[in-house]
């Protein structure tokens, strides 16, 4: 676990981005996200770096009582906030762990959704491959931000030395990361509605 990053996100637990209710400016972004990720009742979802559980709550609603969401988080403060927010959700499990360590023990998800977390992985190629190995045969790996890559990367450069080098890769680098993980790009949007990458596990046939 990256202790410096865990402590940084501890300090952010009461910030507006971590606590606010989704508003109208985000509704169109969420509409595209849910339309294109095709979440459905009964699915099993993994959400690394769930923060305070803002998106987790919506994921739990989409998969319903017959589905489940596993949400991991390295920040103890974020974890506590997410646990409180999600305590009435019987289909959510919140775990204090880097996703890499969790995946050493668990597997098989319909969707793995990295919301606001992918830039913060220290070893993007390795962890993406590890996550891809936890997908079911037609499972999807998704990277989602409310801002586009230029906005996300500029924000990180200005926020703190702890995250100033945590960048969303450009398309060429991302394609290399996906290829290494045996993932095939389905679509990538990097525009006014944010950043949304959807990839699928390649067929072994």
């Amino acid at each position: 676990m990256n202790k410096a990053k865990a402590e940084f996100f501890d300090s952010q637990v009461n910030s507006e981005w971590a606590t606010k209710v989704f508003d109208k400016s985000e509704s169109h972004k969420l509409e595209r996200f849910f339309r294109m990720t095709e979440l459905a009742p009964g699915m099993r979802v993994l959400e690394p770096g769930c923060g305070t559980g803002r998106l987790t709550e919506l994921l739990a609603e989409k998969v319903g009582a017959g589905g489940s969401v596993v949400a991991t988080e390295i920040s103890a403060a974020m974890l506590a906030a997410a646990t409180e927010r999600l305590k009435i959700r019987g289909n959510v499990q919140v775990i204090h762990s880097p996703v890499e360590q969790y995946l050493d023990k668990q597997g098989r998800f319909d969707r793995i959704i990295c919301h606001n977390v992918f830039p913060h992985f220290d070893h993007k190629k390795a962890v993406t491959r590890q996550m891809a190995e936890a997908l079911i045969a037609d499972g999807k790996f998704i990277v989602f931000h409310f801002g586009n890559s230029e906005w996300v990367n500029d924000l990180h450069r200005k926020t703190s030395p702890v995250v100033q080098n945590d960048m969303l890769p450009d398309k060429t680098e991302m394609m290399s990361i996906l290829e290494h993980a045996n993932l095939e790009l389905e679509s990538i949007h990097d525009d006014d509605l944010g950043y949304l990458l959807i990839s699928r596990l390649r067929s072994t046939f």
Side-chain angles (χ1 to χ4, degrees):
M1 182 183 296
N2 188 315
K3 185 178 179 181
K5 286 186 184 178
E7 291 176 347
F8 169 75
F9 286 108
D10 283 345
S11 73
Q12 296 293 302
V13 69
N14 294 316
S15 62
E16 183 181 4
W17 68 264
T19 59
K20 74 172 185 175
V21 175
F22 291 121
D23 57 29
K24 289 183 179 180
S25 70
E26 295 164 321
S27 62
H28 294 306
K29 301 175 183 184
L30 286 168
E31 286 172 9
R32 180 172 74 175
F33 168 77
F34 284 117
R35 182 179 71 254
M36 298 198 68
T37 55
E38 300 177 314
L39 280 170
M43 283 187 172
R44 188 170 190 236
V45 176
L46 173 65
E47 185 194 7
C50 68
T52 62
R54 294 172 74 224
L55 185 65
T56 319
E57 195 167 27
L58 301 185
L59 300 178
E61 290 178 359
K62 290 291 183 180
V63 301
S68 62
V69 180
V70 176
T72 67
E73 177 55 55
I74 65 170
S75 160
M78 292 281 184
L79 181 90
T83 300
E84 177 64 23
R85 181 194 297 269
L86 300 164
K87 64 183 179 182
I88 64 170
R89 302 282 177 180
N91 61 345
V92 178
Q93 183 181 12
V94 184
I95 298 172
H96 190 204
S97 173
V99 68
E100 300 94 320
Q101 292 180 15
Y102 172 76
L103 287 174
D104 283 343
K105 307 169 186 176
Q106 305 292 332
R108 301 316 172 194
F109 296 90
D110 299 278
R111 300 286 186 271
I112 296 178
I113 298 171
C114 295
H115 173 51
N116 289 348
V117 71
F118 193 80
H120 303 301
F121 291 134
D122 292 327
H123 305 288
K124 294 178 178 62
K125 186 170 283 191
V127 71
T128 302
R129 183 173 183 128
Q130 190 177 2
M131 287 188 285
E133 290 171 351
L135 287 168
I136 64 169
D138 60 346
K140 294 186 180 183
F141 172 78
I142 296 148
V143 179
F144 175 49
H145 291 261
F146 283 118
N148 61 30
S149 62
E150 182 179 3
W151 183 89
V152 170
N153 291 344
D154 186 58
L155 175 68
H156 290 171
R157 289 188 194 100
K158 296 175 178 177
T159 298
S160 165
V162 177
V163 298
Q164 67 182 6
N165 296 315
D166 292 0
M167 300 287 112
L168 263 173
D170 62 25
K171 187 174 181 180
T172 299
E173 183 181 354
M174 186 62 82
M175 291 299 293
S176 175
I177 291 170
L178 297 180
E179 180 71 24
H180 179 74
N182 196 35
L183 291 165
E184 182 177 7
L185 180 68
E186 282 196 351
S187 63
I188 184 168
H189 298 270
D190 192 7
D191 53 30
D192 291 343
L193 292 181
Y195 183 94
L196 178 60
L197 177 148
I198 301 175
S199 61
R200 181 186 294 272
L201 199 61
R202 290 182 185 274
S203 171
T204 56
F205 295 102

